[in-house]
Amino acid sequence: MTLDQAALTDGAELVLDGARYPAVWLRDNCPCPACALPGSGQKLFGITDLPAPAQLRIASAQRHADELTVRFAPDGHLSTFPVSLLEAHRLGAEPPADERTEDAKTRWTGADFADPATLPRAAWDAFVHDDAVRARCLDALLTSGFFLLHGVAVRERAVLEVAEAFGYVRETNYGSLFDVRVEPNPANLAFSSLPITPHTDNPYRDPVPTIQLLHCLTNAAEGGDSGLVDGFHAAAVLREHQPEAFALLAGTPVTFRYTDESAELSATNPMIGLDPLGRIKEIRFNNRSMRPVTALPAARIPAFYAAYRAFAELLYRPEAQLGFRLEPGDCVVFDNTRVLHARTGFTAAGNRHLQGCYADLDSAASSRAVLRRGLGAGIGGPDDTSAPAREGSAR
Amino acid sequence: MTLDQAALTDGAELVLDGARYPAVWLRDNCPCPACALPGSGQKLFGITDLPAPAQLRIASAQRHADELTVRFAPDGHLSTFPVSLLEAHRLGAEPPADERTEDAKTRWTGADFADPATLPRAAWDAFVHDDAVRARCLDALLTSGFFLLHGVAVRERAVLEVAEAFGYVRETNYGSLFDVRVEPNPANLAFSSLPITPHTDNPYRDPVPTIQLLHCLTNAAEGGDSGLVDGFHAAAVLREHQPEAFALLAGTPVTFRYTDESAELSATNPMIGLDPLGRIKEIRFNNRSMRPVTALPAARIPAFYAAYRAFAELLYRPEAQLGFRLEPGDCVVFDNTRVLHARTGFTAAGNRHLQGCYADLDSAASSRAVLRRGLGAGIGGPDDTSAPAREGSAR
C-alpha cells in the first residue's frame, strides 16, 4: 500500500491503495480529540463549523506505518487517521451495511429446518445464564428472524421477563402484554379457535413493534399449531419472478387501521418497504386491518391486486412455512418486520392460552453487540470503539 | 350522480359519477357481515379466498338511494356499498392520506409564533381535565410538531405522567426517563453547559423514538434557553431551491451510532426520509452520532457534503428557530421525526435540570382521534366506524 502523493496535487482528495477519499470526507471524520470525543467517537463539531467547501483542501499528507497524517488548508488543522479506518470505509465499494435489510439476512423456507437440530433454540436457563447462548439466539433473531426458548416458567407475565432479558417491552394500547385465548363472541379472529393465515402484527401502528414474543401457558387443544414464514424470502422471490409486481407493492402506500372503543390507530406504508438503495427492509402484511387502496388510479388497480395476490400466494405456500407446536413453557421470539406468523385452527373445546408482548430490534441488536464484546468476537472497525460515554439527549 | 350501466358491459369495473371502481377492488372492500366484522371492519377473508382475477366480474349493479348493490360473478356474492364509502375512496384522485407526511403538516418558522398567543400551549390542569384542550394540544403536536405545557408538578418523574396522559413511555437503554443536567467531565455535550445546535434525538435507534418530552425542574442558569426548528420546512425549502441536493440526502443511507459500556446502537437511514410517493416523512439530523458516509463513490462525496451543509444551514438559520425558555413546571412535547431541538449555552455555575422521556406518535394520534369522537368532531368516512372490537395479535 502506498500513498500516491500525486493525487494530492489539487488537494481535493487523497488516494490510498487505489481508494479515493475527498478532503471534506476526511475532515468530517477526523478522529482527533478536538473533533471526536475519545471513547464514544461522538462528533464535537457541526458541518457548518468546517471551512467552506471552496476553501477546504488537503495541504499535505504523510504516511507513517499504520497512520496517515493529513494537514488541511486553509486552517492548518492536523488529522491522524489509522489506515485501518480508511480501509474499512472505502467509498462506494459496496452498499452500506444495514443489518435491518435483506443484505444481513439468511433467507429460508420450512425445508431449511427439516432437521430439528437446525432450529435456533435454547433452554431458558441457558439463555439467561450463558452469554454465548444468548448471543447465538439474538444472532438467529437478527439473521433468520426468530428463535425458540423452552423451559420458560409456566406462569403469567413470564413473557415480559423474556423480553427484558435482551431488550425493552413496548407498551401499547393492549397493555404491556396481551392474552391469546378463546373468548366467547370474539371481536377478533385471534380470540377464536379459527385458523389464522400468515401475517405481521399491528401494521396500523407506526412505529410498528419490531419484535413479537409469544409464550405458551396451555396448549391442550387439538390443532392450534404455530407457523412462521420468511417474508423477506417471499418478497425476494416475487422480485425475481415478477419484478413489476414487486415494484408496485413497494411503491404503493397502503393504509392499515384498527379501531375499538379506546383506540383508533392508522398507518400508511407499503406492504414491502425498501431502503433508498432498493433493499428489502420491512414487510407489512395483514388482510384483516388493510383499508381500501386509493393510491392508484383505477386502471392500475387490477395490476396491484394481481401483485398482492401473487405475494400472498408465495407467503401462503405450505412449503414456505415452518410449522411447530408451542408447548407450555415454550416461547417464540420473532422479527415482526420480516417474519409472518400463523396458527392452525383448533378444537374449540380445547384449552389454549398464550401470552404475548412486543419489543424492538434495535435493543436486541445492541444486546448482541455488547455480548460479542465479552465473548471476544470482535465486530471490527475503528469506529466500533466503546467507552463509558452516553449521548442521551441534548437541548 | 348516476350509475352508468354501460360501464358494466364487460363487468371489469363500475363507474359511478365518473369515478371508476374495478371489480376486484369492490369485492375486496365488501362491507357485508360475512366479509368484514361488523363494528371494527376487520376483514374476514384473505386475498386468495377471492375468485381468481380472470373469473371475477361484476354481474350486475343496482343503485337504490344511497346504496349500491353489486352482484359478482362467478360466485354470485352480493355486496351492498354505501355510496358515501365509494365517494370517499375515489381511486387515484389524490395521494393517500398519511398524517405522518408533510401533506398533513403546517410548516413554520420562528416568526410564525412571534405573537406568543399563537403558541400551542396549555395549563397542565386543563390538559388533564378538559378533553378539548388535550385534543387541541395533540392536534398541534401532529400538525405543527409540538406543544407546551405549563404548571406541570415540579417533581421528579412528572414527565412520565405527561407522556401517559396521551400515550405510552418508550423505555430505552437510558431508562424510562433521563436527566439533563451538568455533569462533571461529561461524556456527552448534553450534560455540559455548552450550546447544542438543532438536532433530532437517537437517530441511531430504529424504531427511533417519535415523540420527545422535556420537563423543566430547575432553570436558574443564565442562558440555557430552548429552541425548536421545523425540519420538514427546511427540507421543503431545500427541495424547492436545490432539488438535486434534496434528492441526494433522501437517497443516501447514513449510519448513526452510539456506544457506551452497556449499549451499542446503530441505524442506517437517510437524513430526509420519504414515503414511496416522495413525500417528506422523517428527518434524522445529528452530527454527533453520524458515522462516515460510505454509500456513495468518492466522486459524489463533495455533492453530498454540499447538500448536507446546505440542509444544515437552513436548519441553523436564526429565523428558522422558535426560541423560548423552559421554566420550572414547563414541559415541551415534540415530534422527534420532524422537529429539531436545541439549547443555548449557559453559565456553568447555574443550576439547570430537565427530565425527559420518549413516547410515540401513533398513540398520540389515536388519543386525538378518540377524543374527537367524544367532542363530536367527526373524522368522516364510512370506515371510521368504531366498536368494542380488538384485533390484538393472532397466531
Side-chain angles (χ1 to χ4, degrees):
Chain A
M1 188 185 304
T2 59
L3 174 60
D4 180 357
Q5 290 287 351
L8 294 177
T9 305
D10 75 348
E13 63 182 30
L14 178 146
V15 178
L16 189 72
D17 198 26
R20 299 162 57 187
Y21 300 95
V24 64
W25 187 95
L26 288 168
R27 180 59 180 274
D28 190 44
N29 294 306
C30 173
C32 87
C35 289
L37 204 64
S40 72
Q42 194 179 26
K43 207 168 284 185
L44 296 169
F45 63 91
I47 182 68
T48 57
D49 298 326
L50 295 184
Q55 273 78 54
L56 184 64
R57 286 285 180 275
I58 300 167
S60 66
Q62 299 290 332
R63 180 172 180 184
H64 300 285
D66 293 334
E67 287 192 337
L68 187 82
T69 301
V70 177
R71 188 170 294 280
F72 293 94
D75 62 352
H77 188 82
L78 194 68
S79 302
T80 300
F81 299 91
V83 167
S84 60
L85 182 145
L86 300 178
E87 285 173 349
H89 293 95
R90 292 174 78 95
L91 297 172
E94 51 190 39
D98 180 354
E99 67 184 3
R100 298 287 277 275
T101 69
E102 59 180 317
D103 283 1
K105 309 300 184 188
T106 305
R107 287 165 44 184
W108 54 263
T109 64
D112 292 309
F113 301 103
D115 174 0
T118 60
L119 273 177
R121 57 181 173 180
W124 169 243
D125 195 58
F127 184 80
V128 172
H129 294 110
D130 186 333
D131 286 355
V133 169
R134 200 154 69 260
R136 204 160 54 232
C137 285
L138 295 176
D139 196 60
L141 174 64
L142 295 162
T143 57
S144 297
F146 74 99
F147 66 91
L148 287 159
L149 293 173
H150 308 293
V152 176
V154 183
R155 61 173 147 71
E156 302 222 354
R157 306 184 70 77
V159 69
L160 300 177
E161 292 167 45
V162 178
E164 287 159 2
F166 61 84
Y168 303 94
V169 172
R170 174 99 76 91
E171 188 180 355
T172 70
N173 54 304
Y174 303 140
S176 293
L177 61 73
F178 47 85
D179 288 283
V180 184
R181 56 187 157 194
V182 175
E183 294 179 357
N185 306 313
N188 188 300
L189 287 184
F191 311 120
S192 73
S193 58
L194 294 171
I196 309 274
T197 51
H199 64 282
T200 63
D201 256 30
N202 293 14
Y204 45 75
R205 205 182 293 284
D206 190 354
V208 74
T210 52
I211 294 177
Q212 181 168 173
L213 297 88
L214 288 170
H215 173 225
C216 179
L217 293 169
T218 317
N219 199 359
E222 192 171 323
D225 290 353
S226 299
L228 298 176
V229 175
D230 182 357
F232 279 20
H233 179 68
V237 171
L238 184 67
R239 179 176 55 198
E240 186 183 347
H241 295 290
Q242 300 187 48
E244 289 174 16
F246 175 88
L248 196 49
L249 294 185
T252 306
V254 173
T255 296
F256 296 90
R257 180 168 294 176
Y258 170 77
T259 60
D260 66 17
E261 78 275 20
S262 62
E264 188 165 317
L265 292 153
S266 178
T268 301
N269 288 292
M271 286 191 214
I272 300 175
L274 307 181
D275 86 340
L277 305 182
R279 296 180 290 186
I280 299 166
K281 193 160 182 176
E282 291 179 328
I283 303 295
R284 286 176 186 78
F285 193 89
N286 190 317
N287 64 294
R288 286 174 291 149
S289 55
M290 186 169 149
R291 305 308 309 159
V293 175
T294 61
L296 297 167
R300 296 281 287 152
I301 288 289
F304 174 84
Y305 269 97
Y308 172 24
R309 190 174 181 118
F311 189 37
E313 285 169 349
L314 288 167
L315 293 166
Y316 292 170
R317 282 183 309 174
E319 60 268 34
Q321 196 166 141
L322 167 65
F324 55 95
R325 186 176 176 82
L326 290 175
E327 299 293 351
D330 290 350
C331 183
V332 59
V333 180
F334 56 93
D335 175 350
N336 187 51
T337 70
R338 171 188 174 194
V339 171
L340 292 78
H341 60 294
R343 72 142 189 251
T344 62
F346 54 97
T347 50
N351 197 2
R352 184 177 186 269
H353 183 196
L354 309 183
Q355 283 194 323
C357 72
Y358 300 118
D360 283 308
L361 287 168
D362 51 359
S363 296
S366 174
S367 292
R368 178 182 66 165
V370 171
L371 284 168
R372 282 181 171 178
R373 290 182 200 160
L375 296 168
I379 41 173
D383 49 307
D384 288 313
T385 54
S386 63
R390 187 173 179 291
E391 174 166 359
S393 173
R395 60 238 75 213
Chain B
M1 187 185 304
T2 57
L3 174 60
D4 181 356
Q5 291 288 353
L8 293 177
T9 306
D10 75 347
E13 63 182 30
L14 177 147
V15 178
L16 188 72
D17 199 27
R20 300 163 56 189
Y21 301 95
V24 63
W25 187 95
L26 288 168
R27 180 59 180 273
D28 190 44
N29 294 306
C30 173
C32 88
C35 288
L37 204 64
S40 71
Q42 193 179 28
K43 206 168 285 185
L44 296 170
F45 63 92
I47 182 67
T48 57
D49 297 326
L50 294 185
Q55 273 77 54
L56 185 64
R57 287 285 179 275
I58 300 167
S60 67
Q62 299 290 332
R63 181 171 180 186
H64 301 285
D66 294 334
E67 288 191 338
L68 187 83
T69 301
V70 177
R71 187 171 294 280
F72 293 93
D75 61 351
H77 188 82
L78 194 69
S79 301
T80 301
F81 299 92
V83 167
S84 61
L85 182 145
L86 300 178
E87 284 173 349
H89 293 96
R90 291 173 79 95
L91 296 173
E94 50 190 39
D98 179 356
E99 68 185 2
R100 297 288 277 276
T101 70
E102 59 180 317
D103 283 1
K105 309 300 184 187
T106 305
R107 287 166 41 182
W108 54 263
T109 64
D112 292 309
F113 302 102
D115 175 359
T118 59
L119 273 176
R121 56 182 174 180
W124 169 244
D125 195 58
F127 184 81
V128 172
H129 295 109
D130 186 333
D131 285 355
V133 170
R134 200 155 69 260
R136 206 160 53 233
C137 286
L138 294 176
D139 196 60
L141 174 64
L142 295 162
T143 57
S144 296
F146 73 101
F147 66 91
L148 286 160
L149 293 173
H150 307 294
V152 177
V154 182
R155 60 172 147 72
E156 302 220 355
R157 306 186 68 78
V159 69
L160 300 177
E161 291 167 46
V162 178
E164 287 159 2
F166 61 84
Y168 304 93
V169 172
R170 174 100 75 92
E171 188 180 355
T172 71
N173 53 305
Y174 303 140
S176 293
L177 60 73
F178 48 85
D179 288 282
V180 185
R181 56 186 157 195
V182 176
E183 293 179 358
N185 307 313
N188 188 300
L189 287 183
F191 311 118
S192 74
S193 59
L194 294 170
I196 309 274
T197 51
H199 65 282
T200 62
D201 257 30
N202 294 14
Y204 45 76
R205 206 183 292 283
D206 190 355
V208 74
T210 53
I211 294 177
Q212 180 168 174
L213 297 88
L214 288 169
H215 173 226
C216 179
L217 293 169
T218 318
N219 198 358
E222 193 171 323
D225 290 353
S226 300
L228 298 177
V229 175
D230 182 358
F232 279 20
H233 180 68
V237 171
L238 184 68
R239 179 175 55 197
E240 188 183 346
H241 295 290
Q242 300 186 50
E244 289 174 16
F246 176 88
L248 197 48
L249 294 184
T252 306
V254 173
T255 296
F256 295 90
R257 180 169 293 175
Y258 170 77
T259 60
D260 67 17
E261 77 276 18
S262 62
E264 188 164 317
L265 291 153
S266 178
T268 301
N269 288 292
M271 286 192 213
I272 301 175
L274 308 180
D275 86 339
L277 306 181
R279 298 180 289 187
I280 299 166
K281 193 160 182 175
E282 290 179 327
I283 303 295
R284 287 175 186 80
F285 193 89
N286 191 316
N287 64 293
R288 286 174 291 148
S289 54
M290 186 170 150
R291 306 309 309 160
V293 174
T294 60
L296 298 167
R300 296 282 287 152
I301 288 289
F304 175 84
Y305 268 97
Y308 173 24
R309 191 175 182 119
F311 189 37
E313 285 169 350
L314 288 167
L315 293 165
Y316 291 170
R317 283 182 309 173
E319 60 268 33
Q321 196 165 141
L322 167 66
F324 55 95
R325 186 177 177 81
L326 290 175
E327 300 292 351
D330 290 350
C331 183
V332 59
V333 181
F334 56 92
D335 176 351
N336 186 52
T337 70
R338 171 188 175 194
V339 170
L340 292 78
H341 60 293
R343 70 141 190 253
T344 63
F346 54 97
T347 50
N351 197 1
R352 183 176 186 269
H353 183 196
L354 309 184
Q355 284 193 324
C357 72
Y358 300 118
D360 283 307
L361 287 167
D362 51 0
S363 295
S366 174
S367 293
R368 178 181 67 163
V370 171
L371 285 168
R372 282 179 171 179
R373 291 181 199 159
L375 296 167
I379 41 173
D383 49 306
D384 287 313
T385 54
S386 62
R390 185 172 181 292
E391 174 165 357
S393 173
R395 61 237 75 219

